[in-house]
């Protein structure tokens, strides 16, 4: 396993050097005693699970940054192992996670980054809203746990083989954790970046120290790209020419063949969408203490590619993608990239609309007030803005919205009934209930409601669930149906790709989306897509719109991402394993990595500063990620073809 040790180049600048130790290099880990010293996990099927508990009441990991546990795979086939770690007296949905793929007959160490629950208000005095901070601390309210009270680790095992046979042992905590102090931050981190937006207190082999380095990096990468041969048996769209060809429509379409779904490219060849999100020249804006508002990535592109930087950087990115094996520009990619007609792409449709008000909710993900008289107009107007894309054969289809907040099947009805009376969806739901029950007293008795009138009615009551489910289904059908109608009228040749559902446990949403969308899109941040459980009878193509594996030990970037690897080699391995599992799933027709570039060290607008890119903020690729992507692309269609042979 490779590791990065940041060296003290910053001593030249300030006498201060940042340290970020690799978890496997900690020579004095904290032993964590389990109730059973070794746990044997065996199952005759393709999955299994086990729960690790402390010998005493809890494990106190408050002084450490990582938890590590060894997995020995006694079987012949690889096993993916994912961990969910929870703590005593913490909300059940708060957890930290980790994952590792263990080859057959081998052992490996599964790492879990501990997201400490701390009072971090003072940190924002220096950096504002950021997700990752120096020293490994991460701000993520829905994942942070009290590290001194960890009391449960659930392990899930997935394999393509005939059985799971693993031994689990040597649980420990590694790397000393120290919460950042305001004094240290103010003294050493203002400003934290150099002129290229890089962490000035860390060093690594690929670090840019001058504009000359940027040009030299471009020359080296150009030479590297020329060493690769084009992928075999590929259409100009990235489809598979080595097998059966279907009727060509001139646009992308879906096809089910022998219970296996695929996309079909405009020339009629099978197509599986291997994509990367956010190819956007204008992304990368940040606010850096001591510097102010700026876009270091944009400045780096200008310096690297010269006077014609915009066209040159776009051209070079497409060259990269074709060599790497990427055949799709994912969500939030800009017209600079997709209008040149070199790589298929998807469109992100977002629009203003009246929403169902929700106290404390994220307004950008609030549920639309779908029964508002102007809702349909807002949807149609939004889609109408993409008339060029609607006729472009390079466009696969349109995503409409992203990660709407329906965590539960009954979320739409519950949110609407708890909304003010001027909410049109609430008004419609009240009408439906009045038609069903007639007078309020009958509903009150059926629900067990404490309200005394229709005006006071709110979601809740032991007998309300069936009605909340029915009303929510009305909302889903109104929402997805309106989006589908807008696509059929204004972009009839493009695929309606759904709304990028992130609450994949909401099987009602998945089922009804499948009734209207050409492809059901989901954002699935996990260590394997094998965790996806579709509803009974579900038969529709699925596209994964987002997943990634971040790190905190690479190129000085602090944010860990939504799923975390211990280093870039681990992240690349997880990418390859995740993609391979997706390719083997007969329903999945594509998966898109979020995102192309690392986020700025001091955070984008909402504070995300994750190390999640295929390239860093200086436009320098991560070779491990590139090589993993190329290997994945080389096996893609052979894997898909094998599904049709069984």
């Amino acid at each position: 396993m490779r590791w990065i040790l940041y060296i003290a180049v910053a001593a030249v600048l300030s006498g201060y050097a940042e340290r970020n130790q690799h978890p496997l290099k900690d020579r004095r880990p904290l032993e964590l005693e389990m109730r059973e010293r070794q746990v044997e996990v065996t199952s005759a099927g393709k999955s299994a699970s086990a729960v690790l508990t402390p010998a005493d009441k809890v494990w106190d990991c408050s002084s450490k940054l990582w938890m590590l546990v060894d997995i020995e795979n006694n079987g012949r086939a690889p096993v993916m192992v994912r961990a969910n770690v929870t703590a005593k007296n913490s909300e059940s949905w708060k957890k930290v996670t980790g994952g590792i793929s263990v080859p057959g007959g081998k052992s490996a160490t599964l790492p879990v980054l501990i997201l400490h629950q701390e009072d971090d208000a003072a940190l924002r005095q220096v950096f504002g809203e950021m997700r990752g901070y120096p020293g490994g601390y991460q701000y993520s309210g829905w994942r942070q746990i009290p590290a001194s009270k960890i009391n449960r680790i659930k392990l899930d095992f997935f394999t393509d083989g005939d059985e799971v046979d693993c031994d689990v042992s040597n649980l420990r905590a590694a790397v000393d954790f120290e919460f950042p102090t305001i004094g240290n931050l103010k003294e050493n981190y203002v400003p934290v970046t150099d002129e290229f937006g890089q962490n000035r207190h860390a060093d690594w082999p690929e670090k840019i120290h001058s504009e000359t380095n940027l040009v030299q990096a471009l020359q080296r990468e150009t030479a590297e790209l020329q060493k690769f041969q084009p992928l075999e048996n590929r259409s100009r769209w990235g489809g598979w020419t080595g097998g059966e060809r279907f009727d060509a429509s001139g646009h992308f379409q879906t096809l089910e063949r022998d219970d296996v779904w695929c996309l079909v490219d405009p020339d009629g060849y099978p197509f599986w969408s291997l994509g990367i999100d956010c190819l956007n020249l204008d992304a990368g804006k940040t606010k850096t203490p001591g510097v102010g508002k700026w876009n270091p990535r944009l400045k780096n592109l200008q310096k690297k590619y010269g006077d014609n930087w915009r066209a040159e950087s776009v051209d070079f990115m497409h060259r990269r993608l074709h060599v790497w094996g990427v055949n799709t520009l994912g969500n939030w990619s800009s017209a600079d990239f997709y209008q040149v007609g070199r790589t298929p792409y998807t469109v992100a449709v977002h629009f203003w609309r009246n929403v169902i008000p929700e106290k404390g909710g994220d307004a950008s993900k609030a549920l639309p007030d779908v029964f508002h008289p102007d809702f349909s107009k807002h949807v149609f107007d939004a889609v109408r803005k993409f008339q060029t894309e609607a006729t472009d054969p390079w466009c696969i289809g349109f995503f409409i919205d992203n990660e709407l907040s329906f965590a539960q099947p009954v979320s739409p009805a519950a949110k609407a009934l708890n909304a003010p009376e001027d909410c049109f969806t609430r008004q419609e739901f009240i009408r439906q209930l009045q038609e069903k029950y007639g007078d309020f007293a009958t509903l009150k008795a059926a629900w067990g409601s404490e309200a005394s009138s229709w005006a006071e009615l709110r979601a809740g009551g032991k007998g309300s669930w069936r009605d909340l489910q029915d009303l929510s289904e009305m909302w889903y059908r109104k929402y997805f149906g309106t989006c589908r109608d807008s696509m059929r009228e204004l972009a009839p040749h493009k695929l309606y790709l759904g709304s990028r559902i992130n609450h994949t446990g909401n099987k009602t949403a998945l089922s009804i989306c499948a009734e209207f969308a050409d492809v059901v899109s989901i954002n699935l941040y996990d260590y394997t897509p094998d965790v996806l459980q579709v509803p009974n009878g579900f038969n529709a193509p699925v596209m994964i719109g987002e997943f990634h594996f971040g790190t905190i030990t690479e190129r000085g970037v602090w944010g860990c991402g939504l799923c975390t690897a211990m280093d870039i080699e681990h992240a690349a391995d997880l990418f390859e394993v995740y993609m391979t599992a997706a390719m083997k799933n007969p329903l999945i027709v594509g998966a898109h990595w979020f995102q192309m570039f690392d986020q700025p060290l001091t955070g984008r607008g909402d504070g995300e500063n994750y190390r999640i890119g295929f390239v860093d903020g200086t436009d320098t690729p991560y070779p491990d990620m590139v090589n993993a992507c190329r290997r994945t692309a080389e096996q893609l269609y052979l894997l898909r073809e094998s599904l049709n042979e069984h």
Side-chain angles (χ1 to χ4, degrees):
M1 186 66 69
R2 187 180 66 89
W3 65 87
I4 295 292
L5 176 64
Y6 293 138
I7 37 187
V9 67
V12 178
L13 303 173
S14 65
Y16 176 80
E18 186 172 292
R19 295 179 299 170
N20 207 338
Q21 188 179 23
H22 191 286
L24 296 185
K25 297 304 295 181
D26 187 347
R27 296 180 181 179
R28 300 179 62 185
L30 173 65
E31 182 180 349
L32 302 175
E33 190 174 353
M34 300 188 297
R35 183 168 296 176
E36 299 178 45
R37 189 169 184 82
Q38 178 172 298
V39 176
E40 297 180 0
V41 183
T42 58
S43 171
K46 295 184 178 297
S47 63
S49 62
V51 175
L52 310 183
T53 55
D56 201 354
K57 296 180 180 179
V58 298
W59 292 301
D60 184 354
C61 299
S62 56
S63 65
K64 296 295 183 179
L65 190 57
W66 294 87
M67 297 184 78
L68 306 173
V69 65
D70 293 340
I71 311 292
E72 182 178 0
N73 181 4
N74 302 310
R76 297 180 180 179
V79 173
M80 164 52 69
V81 189
R82 63 193 283 270
N84 285 320
V85 178
T86 52
K88 184 179 180 180
N89 299 330
S90 185
E91 292 89 342
S92 60
W93 44 268
K94 283 192 173 184
K95 60 187 178 182
V96 291
T97 62
I100 195 77
S101 178
V102 189
K106 301 291 184 178
S107 297
T109 299
L110 189 160
V112 178
L113 179 67
I114 303 170
L115 275 65
H116 289 251
Q117 186 171 289
E118 303 279 353
D119 182 2
D120 57 13
L123 298 183
R124 298 173 206 178
Q125 297 176 14
V126 180
F127 287 115
E129 296 285 344
M130 282 199 333
R131 297 295 187 268
Y133 290 85
Y137 175 73
Q138 308 289 319
Y139 168 69
S140 177
W142 56 278
R143 292 189 294 157
Q144 291 168 281
I145 62 174
S148 63
K149 299 179 180 180
I150 295 173
N151 66 348
R152 187 175 189 267
I153 302 174
K154 183 175 185 292
L155 299 177
D156 296 304
F157 300 76
F158 301 89
T159 183
D160 282 340
D162 297 326
E163 63 177 359
V164 174
D165 183 1
C166 293
D167 294 328
V168 180
S169 63
N170 193 20
L171 180 66
R172 60 209 185 272
V175 182
D176 291 343
F177 171 72
E178 294 183 10
F179 189 66
T181 66
I182 298 302
N184 179 33
L185 294 180
K186 288 184 176 180
E187 180 180 354
N188 295 303
Y189 286 91
V190 182
V192 63
T193 59
D194 61 17
E195 64 179 297
F196 304 102
Q198 303 168 115
N199 187 339
R200 68 188 182 100
H201 296 311
D203 196 23
W204 55 92
E206 305 87 354
K207 191 171 187 180
I208 299 298
H209 296 284
S210 67
E211 292 187 26
T212 301
N213 287 164
L214 285 170
V215 176
Q216 291 170 337
L218 177 59
Q219 294 170 343
R220 287 194 300 271
E221 189 182 354
T222 300
E224 285 296 317
L225 292 178
Q226 292 172 348
K227 296 178 182 179
F228 285 88
Q229 296 296 318
L231 290 168
E232 295 181 351
N233 298 316
R234 296 297 195 272
S235 71
R236 60 173 174 155
W237 319 94
W240 174 244
T241 62
E244 186 176 359
R245 187 177 183 180
F246 305 101
D247 292 339
S249 68
H251 297 273
F252 283 89
Q253 53 189 314
T254 61
L255 176 72
E256 184 185 17
R257 179 178 54 137
D258 299 328
D259 299 320
V260 177
W261 283 95
C262 71
L263 301 179
V264 177
D265 75 19
D267 290 336
Y269 294 107
F271 181 93
W272 200 90
S273 181
L274 197 166
I276 301 180
D277 293 331
C278 301
L279 283 88
N280 191 317
L281 291 177
D282 294 324
K285 298 175 183 177
T286 189
K287 184 178 181 180
T288 303
V291 177
K293 295 180 179 180
W294 65 318
N295 191 331
R297 181 162 68 80
L298 202 63
K299 290 182 177 294
N300 291 332
L301 293 177
Q302 293 167 348
K303 295 172 184 176
K304 183 173 183 176
Y305 293 96
D307 293 340
N308 194 27
W309 67 272
R310 187 174 287 271
E312 292 292 334
S313 64
V314 168
D315 172 75
F316 195 72
M317 183 60 78
H318 281 285
R319 291 172 62 189
R320 280 173 169 163
L321 296 178
H322 293 172
V323 168
W324 298 355
V326 175
N327 62 18
T328 305
L329 310 179
N331 214 39
W332 298 295
S333 295
S334 65
D336 303 272
F337 287 96
Y338 67 64
Q339 285 186 346
V340 298
R342 292 174 61 180
T343 306
Y345 65 93
T346 60
V347 169
V349 179
H350 297 280
F351 58 99
W352 184 91
R353 64 288 188 95
N354 300 86
V355 299
I356 299 174
E358 185 178 2
K359 289 184 179 180
D362 183 349
S364 67
K365 297 180 181 180
L367 299 185
D369 188 356
V370 298
F371 291 97
H372 190 287
D374 293 332
F375 174 68
S376 179
K377 178 181 183 302
H378 291 315
V379 176
F380 276 67
D381 287 349
V383 174
R384 190 175 287 110
K385 294 177 182 178
F386 296 96
Q387 287 306 285
T388 299
E389 292 82 351
T391 58
D392 183 2
W394 290 95
C395 177
I396 296 172
F398 294 13
F399 297 109
I400 301 180
D401 280 322
N402 181 63
E403 296 185 347
L404 294 174
S405 60
F406 38 67
Q408 303 297 328
V410 298
S411 290
K415 292 173 185 287
L417 290 176
N418 291 335
E421 291 188 58
D422 61 356
C423 171
F424 283 85
T425 299
R426 172 184 166 81
Q427 294 172 14
E428 176 61 27
F429 287 173
I430 293 294
R431 278 195 292 272
Q432 294 292 327
L433 293 172
Q434 288 172 335
E435 288 184 9
K436 177 177 180 178
Y437 289 101
D439 59 81
F440 185 76
T442 305
L443 177 138
K444 181 180 176 70
W447 278 27
S449 173
E450 296 180 358
S452 58
S453 67
W454 294 108
E456 294 180 6
L457 181 64
R458 297 292 181 265
K462 294 182 179 180
S464 65
W465 190 90
R466 181 67 261 174
D467 286 324
L468 295 179
Q469 178 76 12
D470 291 343
L471 295 173
S472 293
E473 290 180 7
M474 286 180 57
W475 185 94
Y476 292 120
R477 288 193 166 84
K478 178 72 170 177
Y479 171 74
F480 289 117
T482 303
C483 294
R484 187 273 315 273
D485 292 346
S486 71
M487 291 292 296
R488 293 295 180 264
E489 179 173 325
L490 300 171
H493 302 298
K494 300 296 108 182
L495 300 176
Y496 170 36
L497 301 176
S499 67
R500 305 169 67 84
I501 297 169
N502 63 325
H503 298 292
T504 55
N506 184 344
K507 295 184 179 181
T508 301
L510 293 175
S511 294
I512 297 179
C513 179
E515 295 177 16
F516 296 95
D518 299 300
V519 177
V520 176
S521 58
I522 60 174
N523 292 349
L524 188 59
Y525 284 100
D526 211 305
Y527 289 85
T528 171
D530 289 340
V531 302
L532 178 64
Q533 296 182 352
V534 297
N536 292 333
F538 182 95
N539 183 28
V542 173
M543 181 178 288
I544 298 172
E546 293 180 28
F547 76 102
H548 68 220
F549 305 105
T551 63
I552 62 169
T553 54
E554 305 292 333
R555 301 192 188 179
V557 184
W558 301 318
C560 68
L562 299 181
C563 292
T564 308
M566 65 180 123
D567 58 24
I568 198 67
E569 183 181 349
H570 183 205
D573 183 60
L574 289 171
F575 167 87
E576 194 167 355
V577 171
Y578 188 107
M579 276 291 193
T580 300
M583 293 169 186
K584 291 179 178 179
N585 188 314
L587 297 178
I588 296 178
V589 297
H592 301 169
W593 173 273
F594 184 90
Q595 60 180 34
M596 173 56 72
F597 297 94
D598 284 345
Q599 294 172 328
L601 178 64
T602 47
R604 66 181 193 183
D606 65 354
E608 281 191 11
N609 60 343
Y610 298 150
R611 208 285 335 135
I612 51 175
F614 265 68
V615 300
D616 66 18
T618 65
D619 194 49
T620 304
Y622 291 93
D624 291 289
M625 296 300 300
V626 171
N627 292 332
C629 189
R630 174 77 183 202
R631 289 193 299 269
T632 300
E634 287 173 347
Q635 69 168 343
L636 193 169
Y637 289 113
L638 296 177
L639 272 178
R640 294 300 286 185
E641 287 285 294
S642 70
L643 297 182
N644 293 109
E645 295 171 0
H646 295 305

